[in-house]
mmCIF file of all heavy atoms in Angstrom:
data_model
loop_
_atom_site.group_PDB
_atom_site.id
_atom_site.type_symbol
_atom_site.label_atom_id
_atom_site.label_comp_id
_atom_site.label_asym_id
_atom_site.label_seq_id
_atom_site.Cartn_x
_atom_site.Cartn_y
_atom_site.Cartn_z
ATOM 1 N N MET A 813 -19.745 -12.483 10.416
ATOM 2 C CA MET A 813 -18.633 -12.747 9.484
ATOM 3 C C MET A 813 -17.850 -11.465 9.221
ATOM 4 O O MET A 813 -18.422 -10.389 9.141
ATOM 5 C CB MET A 813 -19.181 -13.265 8.141
ATOM 6 C CG MET A 813 -19.841 -14.627 8.240
ATOM 7 S SD MET A 813 -18.669 -15.945 8.489
ATOM 8 C CE MET A 813 -17.894 -15.992 6.867
ATOM 9 N N VAL A 814 -16.562 -11.623 9.110
ATOM 10 C CA VAL A 814 -15.712 -10.507 8.682
ATOM 11 C C VAL A 814 -14.767 -11.042 7.618
ATOM 12 O O VAL A 814 -14.658 -12.255 7.417
ATOM 13 C CB VAL A 814 -14.892 -9.912 9.849
ATOM 14 C CG1 VAL A 814 -15.811 -9.363 10.916
ATOM 15 C CG2 VAL A 814 -13.939 -10.928 10.432
ATOM 16 N N VAL A 815 -14.094 -10.116 6.931
ATOM 17 C CA VAL A 815 -13.157 -10.518 5.889
ATOM 18 C C VAL A 815 -12.025 -11.348 6.507
ATOM 19 O O VAL A 815 -11.585 -11.107 7.627
ATOM 20 C CB VAL A 815 -12.617 -9.275 5.159
ATOM 21 C CG1 VAL A 815 -11.718 -8.434 6.046
ATOM 22 C CG2 VAL A 815 -11.911 -9.668 3.876
ATOM 23 N N LYS A 816 -11.590 -12.361 5.774
ATOM 24 C CA LYS A 816 -10.477 -13.201 6.223
ATOM 25 C C LYS A 816 -9.199 -12.738 5.534
ATOM 26 O O LYS A 816 -9.214 -12.399 4.347
ATOM 27 C CB LYS A 816 -10.724 -14.667 5.865
ATOM 28 C CG LYS A 816 -11.908 -15.290 6.577
ATOM 29 C CD LYS A 816 -12.000 -16.777 6.235
ATOM 30 C CE LYS A 816 -13.279 -17.386 6.779
ATOM 31 N NZ LYS A 816 -14.472 -16.800 6.119
ATOM 32 N N ILE A 817 -8.106 -12.743 6.283
ATOM 33 C CA ILE A 817 -6.827 -12.286 5.750
ATOM 34 C C ILE A 817 -5.823 -13.436 5.781
ATOM 35 O O ILE A 817 -5.595 -14.038 6.829
ATOM 36 C CB ILE A 817 -6.294 -11.107 6.579
ATOM 37 C CG1 ILE A 817 -7.306 -9.944 6.550
ATOM 38 C CG2 ILE A 817 -4.915 -10.674 6.072
ATOM 39 C CD1 ILE A 817 -6.997 -8.831 7.530
ATOM 40 N N ASP A 818 -5.239 -13.737 4.622
ATOM 41 C CA ASP A 818 -4.144 -14.706 4.545
ATOM 42 C C ASP A 818 -2.854 -13.950 4.869
ATOM 43 O O ASP A 818 -2.298 -13.255 4.025
ATOM 44 C CB ASP A 818 -4.086 -15.311 3.143
ATOM 45 C CG ASP A 818 -2.963 -16.339 3.007
ATOM 46 O OD1 ASP A 818 -2.053 -16.361 3.854
ATOM 47 O OD2 ASP A 818 -3.018 -17.115 2.043
ATOM 48 N N GLU A 819 -2.424 -14.061 6.114
ATOM 49 C CA GLU A 819 -1.291 -13.253 6.569
ATOM 50 C C GLU A 819 0.010 -13.652 5.890
ATOM 51 O O GLU A 819 0.941 -12.855 5.819
ATOM 52 C CB GLU A 819 -1.166 -13.350 8.095
ATOM 53 C CG GLU A 819 -2.388 -12.750 8.801
ATOM 54 C CD GLU A 819 -2.178 -12.579 10.296
ATOM 55 O OE1 GLU A 819 -1.194 -13.139 10.839
ATOM 56 O OE2 GLU A 819 -2.997 -11.886 10.928
ATOM 57 N N ASP A 820 0.113 -14.862 5.391
ATOM 58 C CA ASP A 820 1.322 -15.280 4.672
ATOM 59 C C ASP A 820 1.373 -14.661 3.278
ATOM 60 O O ASP A 820 2.451 -14.454 2.731
ATOM 61 C CB ASP A 820 1.371 -16.806 4.556
ATOM 62 C CG ASP A 820 1.579 -17.462 5.911
ATOM 63 O OD1 ASP A 820 2.233 -16.841 6.770
ATOM 64 O OD2 ASP A 820 1.088 -18.589 6.110
ATOM 65 N N ALA A 821 0.216 -14.366 2.716
ATOM 66 C CA ALA A 821 0.165 -13.800 1.364
ATOM 67 C C ALA A 821 0.259 -12.280 1.368
ATOM 68 O O ALA A 821 0.779 -11.683 0.423
ATOM 69 C CB ALA A 821 -1.129 -14.234 0.677
ATOM 70 N N CYS A 822 -0.225 -11.635 2.409
ATOM 71 C CA CYS A 822 -0.292 -10.172 2.456
ATOM 72 C C CYS A 822 1.091 -9.550 2.353
ATOM 73 O O CYS A 822 2.029 -9.971 3.043
ATOM 74 C CB CYS A 822 -0.959 -9.729 3.761
ATOM 75 S SG CYS A 822 -0.999 -7.932 3.988
ATOM 76 N N ILE A 823 1.215 -8.532 1.488
ATOM 77 C CA ILE A 823 2.470 -7.803 1.318
ATOM 78 C C ILE A 823 2.386 -6.388 1.906
ATOM 79 O O ILE A 823 3.261 -5.556 1.660
ATOM 80 C CB ILE A 823 2.877 -7.738 -0.170
ATOM 81 C CG1 ILE A 823 1.772 -7.088 -1.017
ATOM 82 C CG2 ILE A 823 3.197 -9.142 -0.699
ATOM 83 C CD1 ILE A 823 2.171 -6.822 -2.475
ATOM 84 N N ALA A 824 1.336 -6.138 2.689
ATOM 85 C CA ALA A 824 1.169 -4.862 3.399
ATOM 86 C C ALA A 824 1.209 -3.661 2.461
ATOM 87 O O ALA A 824 1.780 -2.625 2.796
ATOM 88 C CB ALA A 824 2.214 -4.726 4.516
ATOM 89 N N CYS A 825 0.580 -3.774 1.321
ATOM 90 C CA CYS A 825 0.609 -2.684 0.330
ATOM 91 C C CYS A 825 -0.294 -1.520 0.723
ATOM 92 O O CYS A 825 -0.092 -0.400 0.276
ATOM 93 C CB CYS A 825 0.207 -3.216 -1.041
ATOM 94 S SG CYS A 825 -1.529 -3.671 -1.177
ATOM 95 N N GLY A 826 -1.327 -1.788 1.518
ATOM 96 C CA GLY A 826 -2.204 -0.715 1.975
ATOM 97 C C GLY A 826 -3.406 -0.427 1.094
ATOM 98 O O GLY A 826 -4.217 0.429 1.430
ATOM 99 N N LEU A 827 -3.529 -1.103 -0.030
ATOM 100 C CA LEU A 827 -4.646 -0.817 -0.938
ATOM 101 C C LEU A 827 -5.992 -1.132 -0.296
ATOM 102 O O LEU A 827 -6.976 -0.422 -0.517
ATOM 103 C CB LEU A 827 -4.480 -1.600 -2.243
ATOM 104 C CG LEU A 827 -3.322 -1.150 -3.134
ATOM 105 C CD1 LEU A 827 -3.214 -2.065 -4.351
ATOM 106 C CD2 LEU A 827 -3.507 0.289 -3.570
ATOM 107 N N CYS A 828 -6.051 -2.175 0.494
ATOM 108 C CA CYS A 828 -7.317 -2.530 1.144
ATOM 109 C C CYS A 828 -7.717 -1.477 2.166
ATOM 110 O O CYS A 828 -8.892 -1.135 2.301
ATOM 111 C CB CYS A 828 -7.227 -3.905 1.795
ATOM 112 S SG CYS A 828 -5.899 -4.091 3.002
ATOM 113 N N GLU A 829 -6.734 -0.960 2.876
ATOM 114 C CA GLU A 829 -7.011 0.094 3.857
ATOM 115 C C GLU A 829 -7.617 1.316 3.167
ATOM 116 O O GLU A 829 -8.575 1.917 3.655
ATOM 117 C CB GLU A 829 -5.714 0.465 4.578
ATOM 118 C CG GLU A 829 -5.887 1.491 5.681
ATOM 119 C CD GLU A 829 -4.569 1.827 6.361
ATOM 120 O OE1 GLU A 829 -3.532 1.856 5.672
ATOM 121 O OE2 GLU A 829 -4.570 2.056 7.578
ATOM 122 N N GLU A 830 -7.064 1.677 2.003
ATOM 123 C CA GLU A 830 -7.588 2.821 1.247
ATOM 124 C C GLU A 830 -8.988 2.532 0.709
ATOM 125 O O GLU A 830 -9.830 3.430 0.634
ATOM 126 C CB GLU A 830 -6.667 3.135 0.061
ATOM 127 C CG GLU A 830 -5.326 3.697 0.457
ATOM 128 C CD GLU A 830 -4.428 3.911 -0.762
ATOM 129 O OE1 GLU A 830 -4.952 4.014 -1.877
ATOM 130 O OE2 GLU A 830 -3.205 3.942 -0.576
ATOM 131 N N ALA A 831 -9.245 1.288 0.335
ATOM 132 C CA ALA A 831 -10.504 0.936 -0.328
ATOM 133 C C ALA A 831 -11.670 0.779 0.642
ATOM 134 O O ALA A 831 -12.830 0.937 0.258
ATOM 135 C CB ALA A 831 -10.328 -0.362 -1.114
ATOM 136 N N CYS A 832 -11.395 0.478 1.890
ATOM 137 C CA CYS A 832 -12.475 0.171 2.835
ATOM 138 C C CYS A 832 -13.303 1.421 3.170
ATOM 139 O O CYS A 832 -12.770 2.382 3.720
ATOM 140 C CB CYS A 832 -11.905 -0.426 4.122
ATOM 141 S SG CYS A 832 -13.211 -0.835 5.306
ATOM 142 N N PRO A 833 -14.597 1.410 2.869
ATOM 143 C CA PRO A 833 -15.427 2.593 3.109
ATOM 144 C C PRO A 833 -15.768 2.819 4.578
ATOM 145 O O PRO A 833 -16.254 3.887 4.937
ATOM 146 C CB PRO A 833 -16.690 2.304 2.289
ATOM 147 C CG PRO A 833 -16.762 0.829 2.203
ATOM 148 C CD PRO A 833 -15.336 0.338 2.184
ATOM 149 N N VAL A 834 -15.527 1.822 5.429
ATOM 150 C CA VAL A 834 -15.853 1.990 6.851
ATOM 151 C C VAL A 834 -14.598 1.967 7.737
ATOM 152 O O VAL A 834 -14.681 1.876 8.951
ATOM 153 C CB VAL A 834 -16.870 0.915 7.310
ATOM 154 C CG1 VAL A 834 -18.216 1.118 6.605
ATOM 155 C CG2 VAL A 834 -16.351 -0.497 7.095
ATOM 156 N N ASP A 835 -13.430 2.019 7.090
ATOM 157 C CA ASP A 835 -12.151 2.064 7.816
ATOM 158 C C ASP A 835 -11.977 0.911 8.798
ATOM 159 O O ASP A 835 -11.558 1.099 9.938
ATOM 160 C CB ASP A 835 -11.992 3.403 8.558
ATOM 161 C CG ASP A 835 -11.832 4.570 7.610
ATOM 162 O OD1 ASP A 835 -11.317 4.365 6.492
ATOM 163 O OD2 ASP A 835 -12.218 5.694 7.977
ATOM 164 N N ALA A 836 -12.288 -0.303 8.314
ATOM 165 C CA ALA A 836 -12.163 -1.475 9.182
ATOM 166 C C ALA A 836 -10.765 -2.092 9.140
ATOM 167 O O ALA A 836 -10.453 -2.948 9.967
ATOM 168 C CB ALA A 836 -13.187 -2.534 8.768
ATOM 169 N N LEU A 837 -9.949 -1.667 8.167
ATOM 170 C CA LEU A 837 -8.632 -2.282 8.000
ATOM 171 C C LEU A 837 -7.522 -1.328 8.416
ATOM 172 O O LEU A 837 -7.581 -0.131 8.152
ATOM 173 C CB LEU A 837 -8.430 -2.691 6.536
ATOM 174 C CG LEU A 837 -9.260 -3.891 6.088
ATOM 175 C CD1 LEU A 837 -9.518 -3.839 4.596
ATOM 176 C CD2 LEU A 837 -8.556 -5.187 6.448
ATOM 177 N N THR A 838 -6.504 -1.892 9.056
ATOM 178 C CA THR A 838 -5.281 -1.153 9.334
ATOM 179 C C THR A 838 -4.113 -2.027 8.911
ATOM 180 O O THR A 838 -4.229 -3.256 8.876
ATOM 181 C CB THR A 838 -5.151 -0.807 10.827
ATOM 182 O OG1 THR A 838 -5.285 -2.001 11.595
ATOM 183 C CG2 THR A 838 -6.210 0.193 11.261
ATOM 184 N N ILE A 839 -2.997 -1.394 8.594
ATOM 185 C CA ILE A 839 -1.815 -2.144 8.172
ATOM 186 C C ILE A 839 -0.793 -2.096 9.289
ATOM 187 O O ILE A 839 -0.347 -1.027 9.699
ATOM 188 C CB ILE A 839 -1.211 -1.554 6.876
ATOM 189 C CG1 ILE A 839 -2.280 -1.366 5.806
ATOM 190 C CG2 ILE A 839 -0.083 -2.461 6.380
ATOM 191 C CD1 ILE A 839 -3.042 -2.619 5.428
ATOM 192 N N GLU A 840 -0.459 -3.264 9.803
ATOM 193 C CA GLU A 840 0.625 -3.363 10.788
ATOM 194 C C GLU A 840 1.757 -4.091 10.056
ATOM 195 O O GLU A 840 2.202 -3.621 9.031
ATOM 196 C CB GLU A 840 0.102 -4.077 12.030
ATOM 197 C CG GLU A 840 -1.020 -3.240 12.689
ATOM 198 C CD GLU A 840 -1.733 -3.970 13.833
ATOM 199 O OE1 GLU A 840 -1.209 -4.961 14.366
ATOM 200 O OE2 GLU A 840 -2.843 -3.531 14.194
ATOM 201 N N ASP A 841 2.200 -5.226 10.512
ATOM 202 C CA ASP A 841 3.123 -6.026 9.698
ATOM 203 C C ASP A 841 2.378 -6.539 8.470
ATOM 204 O O ASP A 841 2.956 -6.678 7.395
ATOM 205 C CB ASP A 841 3.666 -7.220 10.499
ATOM 206 C CG ASP A 841 4.544 -6.778 11.651
ATOM 207 O OD1 ASP A 841 5.021 -5.627 11.617
ATOM 208 O OD2 ASP A 841 4.765 -7.574 12.576
ATOM 209 N N VAL A 842 1.113 -6.855 8.665
ATOM 210 C CA VAL A 842 0.203 -7.252 7.591
ATOM 211 C C VAL A 842 -1.138 -6.577 7.880
ATOM 212 O O VAL A 842 -1.309 -5.942 8.914
ATOM 213 C CB VAL A 842 0.016 -8.792 7.536
ATOM 214 C CG1 VAL A 842 1.319 -9.480 7.147
ATOM 215 C CG2 VAL A 842 -0.510 -9.330 8.853
ATOM 216 N N ALA A 843 -2.072 -6.744 6.962
ATOM 217 C CA ALA A 843 -3.387 -6.134 7.155
ATOM 218 C C ALA A 843 -4.107 -6.787 8.344
ATOM 219 O O ALA A 843 -4.024 -8.003 8.552
ATOM 220 C CB ALA A 843 -4.218 -6.301 5.896
ATOM 221 N N LYS A 844 -4.790 -5.946 9.127
ATOM 222 C CA LYS A 844 -5.610 -6.425 10.243
ATOM 223 C C LYS A 844 -7.011 -5.859 10.081
ATOM 224 O O LYS A 844 -7.172 -4.703 9.699
ATOM 225 C CB LYS A 844 -5.037 -5.934 11.583
ATOM 226 C CG LYS A 844 -3.598 -6.342 11.852
ATOM 227 C CD LYS A 844 -3.480 -7.812 12.189
ATOM 228 C CE LYS A 844 -2.030 -8.161 12.528
ATOM 229 N NZ LYS A 844 -1.822 -9.596 12.732
ATOM 230 N N VAL A 845 -8.004 -6.669 10.401
ATOM 231 C CA VAL A 845 -9.385 -6.204 10.286
ATOM 232 C C VAL A 845 -9.999 -6.071 11.676
ATOM 233 O O VAL A 845 -9.784 -6.923 12.549
ATOM 234 C CB VAL A 845 -10.236 -7.151 9.401
ATOM 235 C CG1 VAL A 845 -10.325 -8.550 9.989
ATOM 236 C CG2 VAL A 845 -11.626 -6.565 9.164
ATOM 237 N N ASP A 846 -10.735 -4.972 11.886
ATOM 238 C CA ASP A 846 -11.467 -4.785 13.131
ATOM 239 C C ASP A 846 -12.843 -5.420 12.954
ATOM 240 O O ASP A 846 -13.692 -4.916 12.220
ATOM 241 C CB ASP A 846 -11.598 -3.294 13.427
ATOM 242 C CG ASP A 846 -12.226 -3.026 14.803
ATOM 243 O OD1 ASP A 846 -13.079 -3.839 15.233
ATOM 244 O OD2 ASP A 846 -11.880 -2.011 15.427
ATOM 245 N N ALA A 847 -13.060 -6.531 13.630
ATOM 246 C CA ALA A 847 -14.292 -7.303 13.458
ATOM 247 C C ALA A 847 -15.529 -6.535 13.921
ATOM 248 O O ALA A 847 -16.645 -6.844 13.503
ATOM 249 C CB ALA A 847 -14.186 -8.622 14.220
ATOM 250 N N ASP A 848 -15.343 -5.542 14.773
ATOM 251 C CA ASP A 848 -16.483 -4.751 15.237
ATOM 252 C C ASP A 848 -16.927 -3.732 14.199
ATOM 253 O O ASP A 848 -18.038 -3.198 14.291
ATOM 254 C CB ASP A 848 -16.120 -4.019 16.537
ATOM 255 C CG ASP A 848 -15.893 -4.974 17.689
ATOM 256 O OD1 ASP A 848 -16.514 -6.051 17.696
ATOM 257 O OD2 ASP A 848 -15.083 -4.648 18.577
ATOM 258 N N ILE A 849 -16.061 -3.454 13.230
ATOM 259 C CA ILE A 849 -16.357 -2.434 12.213
ATOM 260 C C ILE A 849 -16.704 -3.056 10.865
ATOM 261 O O ILE A 849 -17.578 -2.575 10.153
ATOM 262 C CB ILE A 849 -15.160 -1.462 12.057
ATOM 263 C CG1 ILE A 849 -14.873 -0.745 13.371
ATOM 264 C CG2 ILE A 849 -15.444 -0.461 10.928
ATOM 265 C CD1 ILE A 849 -13.625 0.132 13.334
ATOM 266 N N CYS A 850 -16.039 -4.148 10.494
ATOM 267 C CA CYS A 850 -16.204 -4.771 9.170
ATOM 268 C C CYS A 850 -17.668 -5.146 8.916
ATOM 269 O O CYS A 850 -18.328 -5.738 9.772
ATOM 270 C CB CYS A 850 -15.333 -6.020 9.081
ATOM 271 S SG CYS A 850 -15.456 -6.884 7.500
ATOM 272 N N GLU A 851 -18.145 -4.779 7.724
ATOM 273 C CA GLU A 851 -19.525 -5.074 7.329
ATOM 274 C C GLU A 851 -19.591 -6.014 6.130
ATOM 275 O O GLU A 851 -20.621 -6.075 5.441
ATOM 276 C CB GLU A 851 -20.268 -3.758 7.019
ATOM 277 C CG GLU A 851 -20.394 -2.838 8.221
ATOM 278 C CD GLU A 851 -21.090 -1.520 7.888
ATOM 279 O OE1 GLU A 851 -21.654 -1.390 6.805
ATOM 280 O OE2 GLU A 851 -21.052 -0.612 8.736
ATOM 281 N N ASP A 852 -18.498 -6.707 5.835
ATOM 282 C CA ASP A 852 -18.492 -7.674 4.719
ATOM 283 C C ASP A 852 -18.825 -7.042 3.367
ATOM 284 O O ASP A 852 -19.494 -7.652 2.535
ATOM 285 C CB ASP A 852 -19.503 -8.806 4.976
ATOM 286 C CG ASP A 852 -18.881 -9.954 5.738
ATOM 287 O OD1 ASP A 852 -17.647 -9.997 5.838
ATOM 288 O OD2 ASP A 852 -19.634 -10.817 6.221
ATOM 289 N N ILE A 853 -18.371 -5.847 3.151
ATOM 290 C CA ILE A 853 -18.669 -5.138 1.904
ATOM 291 C C ILE A 853 -17.873 -5.735 0.738
ATOM 292 O O ILE A 853 -18.402 -5.914 -0.361
ATOM 293 C CB ILE A 853 -18.386 -3.630 2.081
ATOM 294 C CG1 ILE A 853 -19.334 -3.051 3.137
ATOM 295 C CG2 ILE A 853 -18.495 -2.890 0.741
ATOM 296 C CD1 ILE A 853 -18.906 -1.704 3.694
ATOM 297 N N GLY A 854 -16.592 -6.010 0.969
ATOM 298 C CA GLY A 854 -15.802 -6.711 -0.040
ATOM 299 C C GLY A 854 -14.968 -5.846 -0.969
ATOM 300 O O GLY A 854 -14.293 -6.367 -1.851
ATOM 301 N N ASP A 855 -14.994 -4.526 -0.789
ATOM 302 C CA ASP A 855 -14.167 -3.670 -1.641
ATOM 303 C C ASP A 855 -12.691 -4.018 -1.492
ATOM 304 O O ASP A 855 -11.920 -3.942 -2.455
ATOM 305 C CB ASP A 855 -14.382 -2.194 -1.290
ATOM 306 C CG ASP A 855 -15.731 -1.673 -1.763
ATOM 307 O OD1 ASP A 855 -16.504 -2.460 -2.340
ATOM 308 O OD2 ASP A 855 -16.010 -0.471 -1.549
ATOM 309 N N CYS A 856 -12.281 -4.416 -0.295
ATOM 310 C CA CYS A 856 -10.875 -4.778 -0.060
ATOM 311 C C CYS A 856 -10.497 -6.024 -0.850
ATOM 312 O O CYS A 856 -9.406 -6.116 -1.419
ATOM 313 C CB CYS A 856 -10.645 -5.010 1.429
ATOM 314 S SG CYS A 856 -11.734 -6.277 2.148
ATOM 315 N N VAL A 857 -11.407 -6.976 -0.905
ATOM 316 C CA VAL A 857 -11.158 -8.219 -1.644
ATOM 317 C C VAL A 857 -10.877 -7.906 -3.111
ATOM 318 O O VAL A 857 -9.983 -8.481 -3.733
ATOM 319 C CB VAL A 857 -12.368 -9.172 -1.520
ATOM 320 C CG1 VAL A 857 -12.168 -10.417 -2.373
ATOM 321 C CG2 VAL A 857 -12.594 -9.555 -0.059
ATOM 322 N N ASP A 858 -11.641 -6.940 -3.654
ATOM 323 C CA ASP A 858 -11.505 -6.597 -5.071
ATOM 324 C C ASP A 858 -10.173 -5.933 -5.393
ATOM 325 O O ASP A 858 -9.668 -6.076 -6.492
ATOM 326 C CB ASP A 858 -12.648 -5.664 -5.485
ATOM 327 C CG ASP A 858 -14.017 -6.348 -5.422
ATOM 328 O OD1 ASP A 858 -14.056 -7.581 -5.487
ATOM 329 O OD2 ASP A 858 -15.030 -5.630 -5.312
ATOM 330 N N VAL A 859 -9.598 -5.195 -4.457
ATOM 331 C CA VAL A 859 -8.379 -4.442 -4.768
ATOM 332 C C VAL A 859 -7.087 -5.172 -4.393
ATOM 333 O O VAL A 859 -6.027 -4.800 -4.862
ATOM 334 C CB VAL A 859 -8.362 -3.042 -4.097
ATOM 335 C CG1 VAL A 859 -9.541 -2.205 -4.592
ATOM 336 C CG2 VAL A 859 -8.346 -3.138 -2.589
ATOM 337 N N CYS A 860 -7.161 -6.199 -3.583
ATOM 338 C CA CYS A 860 -5.927 -6.867 -3.135
ATOM 339 C C CYS A 860 -5.191 -7.498 -4.325
ATOM 340 O O CYS A 860 -5.735 -8.338 -5.017
ATOM 341 C CB CYS A 860 -6.241 -7.940 -2.101
ATOM 342 S SG CYS A 860 -4.729 -8.763 -1.506
ATOM 343 N N PRO A 861 -3.930 -7.113 -4.540
ATOM 344 C CA PRO A 861 -3.183 -7.599 -5.700
ATOM 345 C C PRO A 861 -2.685 -9.035 -5.561
ATOM 346 O O PRO A 861 -2.256 -9.633 -6.547
ATOM 347 C CB PRO A 861 -2.004 -6.623 -5.797
ATOM 348 C CG PRO A 861 -1.789 -6.170 -4.393
ATOM 349 C CD PRO A 861 -3.169 -6.104 -3.774
ATOM 350 N N VAL A 862 -2.742 -9.586 -4.349
ATOM 351 C CA VAL A 862 -2.214 -10.941 -4.144
ATOM 352 C C VAL A 862 -3.298 -11.916 -3.637
ATOM 353 O O VAL A 862 -2.973 -13.003 -3.144
ATOM 354 C CB VAL A 862 -1.015 -10.929 -3.180
ATOM 355 C CG1 VAL A 862 0.163 -10.173 -3.793
ATOM 356 C CG2 VAL A 862 -1.384 -10.336 -1.821
ATOM 357 N N ASP A 863 -4.557 -11.496 -3.742
ATOM 358 C CA ASP A 863 -5.673 -12.344 -3.328
ATOM 359 C C ASP A 863 -5.539 -12.836 -1.884
ATOM 360 O O ASP A 863 -5.813 -14.004 -1.590
ATOM 361 C CB ASP A 863 -5.835 -13.543 -4.277
ATOM 362 C CG ASP A 863 -6.310 -13.116 -5.654
ATOM 363 O OD1 ASP A 863 -6.987 -12.084 -5.758
ATOM 364 O OD2 ASP A 863 -5.985 -13.819 -6.635
ATOM 365 N N ALA A 864 -5.102 -11.923 -0.999
ATOM 366 C CA ALA A 864 -4.939 -12.301 0.404
ATOM 367 C C ALA A 864 -6.231 -12.188 1.199
ATOM 368 O O ALA A 864 -6.289 -12.636 2.331
ATOM 369 C CB ALA A 864 -3.867 -11.428 1.043
ATOM 370 N N LEU A 865 -7.258 -11.595 0.588
ATOM 371 C CA LEU A 865 -8.507 -11.344 1.309
ATOM 372 C C LEU A 865 -9.647 -12.163 0.733
ATOM 373 O O LEU A 865 -9.736 -12.368 -0.472
ATOM 374 C CB LEU A 865 -8.853 -9.850 1.238
ATOM 375 C CG LEU A 865 -7.805 -8.913 1.823
ATOM 376 C CD1 LEU A 865 -8.107 -7.473 1.435
ATOM 377 C CD2 LEU A 865 -7.756 -9.037 3.326
ATOM 378 N N SER A 866 -10.535 -12.604 1.612
ATOM 379 C CA SER A 866 -11.724 -13.330 1.155
ATOM 380 C C SER A 866 -12.853 -13.097 2.145
ATOM 381 O O SER A 866 -12.634 -12.781 3.309
ATOM 382 C CB SER A 866 -11.427 -14.832 1.031
ATOM 383 O OG SER A 866 -10.970 -15.334 2.275
ATOM 384 N N LEU A 867 -14.069 -13.259 1.661
ATOM 385 C CA LEU A 867 -15.241 -13.109 2.527
ATOM 386 C C LEU A 867 -15.732 -14.472 2.981
ATOM 387 O O LEU A 867 -15.474 -15.475 2.358
ATOM 388 C CB LEU A 867 -16.368 -12.396 1.780
ATOM 389 C CG LEU A 867 -16.118 -10.917 1.460
ATOM 390 C CD1 LEU A 867 -17.264 -10.382 0.623
ATOM 391 C CD2 LEU A 867 -15.983 -10.107 2.739
HETATM 392 S S1 LIG B 753 -4.534 -5.229 -0.299
HETATM 393 FE FE1 LIG B 753 -3.916 -7.383 0.112
HETATM 394 S S2 LIG B 753 -1.656 -7.329 0.102
HETATM 395 FE FE2 LIG B 753 -2.366 -5.198 0.279
HETATM 396 S S3 LIG B 753 -2.373 -4.811 2.522
HETATM 397 FE FE3 LIG B 753 -4.435 -5.477 1.947
HETATM 398 S S4 LIG B 753 -4.452 -7.711 2.288
HETATM 399 FE FE4 LIG B 753 -2.308 -7.055 2.234
#
């Protein structure tokens, strides 16, 4: 399992990228998660201002 991203909701603010302790997220047009790196920690879910992330 990796974090799920609602690409329609994401506003590309970058807060999740800053919050991720394993650097699994990058911001392109919207947030993208590297499934090989993500460990389902959930710090990104907690900081997203538009609830675009879920585990
Ligand atoms: S914190 Fe939420 S809105 Fe901001 S880039 Fe990440 S997924 Fe998108």
